[in-house]
Amino acid sequence: MTAGHKITIEQGTEHVRVVRDGQVVAESSRPLLLRETGCPVRHYLPPEDVRTDLLTPSDTTTYCPFKGTASYWSMPGAKDAVWAYPEPKDAVAQIKDHFCFYEVEEAG
């Protein structure tokens, strides 16, 4: 890793929910919390807790030198709003195939 750059992943216990246009897209009590230098905390949700039937695969990919290549999915009215790392780098292997959304709310 680059000097000063750090990524940590921990098992979250809070209940989180993703809602789009009044419809629950994902809901989980077992998110992985990824903290990365210079970035907001991201919730990575297990695929079993995501309504993948509401997601459309995108051709978009991005590369992070710390996490690897991300694949993206869109929702109606929200292009590339969801991403995952199908083959993450070893240092972040826990997030493999977990979905991350730009907007996640704690459900309490």
Side-chain angles (χ1 to χ4, degrees):
M1 293 208 178
T2 301
H5 189 272
K6 184 176 179 181
I7 295 177
T8 61
I9 300 170
E10 63 187 69
Q11 181 63 60
T13 57
E14 69 276 6
H15 188 102
V16 296
R17 179 182 303 137
V18 178
V19 178
R20 177 78 184 165
D21 295 330
Q23 187 167 39
V24 176
V25 178
E27 193 162 10
S28 183
S29 294
R30 51 196 181 128
L32 294 176
L33 304 178
L34 185 140
R35 299 176 200 284
E36 181 174 4
T37 302
C39 299
V41 175
R42 293 291 184 199
H43 295 76
Y44 281 79
L45 308 182
E48 304 82 26
D49 296 348
V50 176
R51 297 257 334 257
T52 56
D53 60 305
L54 300 176
L55 307 180
T56 304
S58 168
D59 291 333
T60 301
T61 60
T62 57
Y63 178 75
C64 170
F66 307 107
K67 295 185 292 288
T69 301
S71 297
Y72 286 76
W73 289 261
S74 297
M75 297 182 285
K79 181 173 173 39
D80 298 338
V82 185
W83 67 94
Y85 289 88
E87 295 182 29
K89 297 202 175 241
D90 290 344
V92 294
Q94 294 164 270
I95 64 170
K96 179 179 173 61
D97 294 328
H98 282 56
F99 290 93
C100 191
F101 295 78
Y102 279 109
E103 298 178 25
V104 175
E105 64 184 41
E106 290 191 19

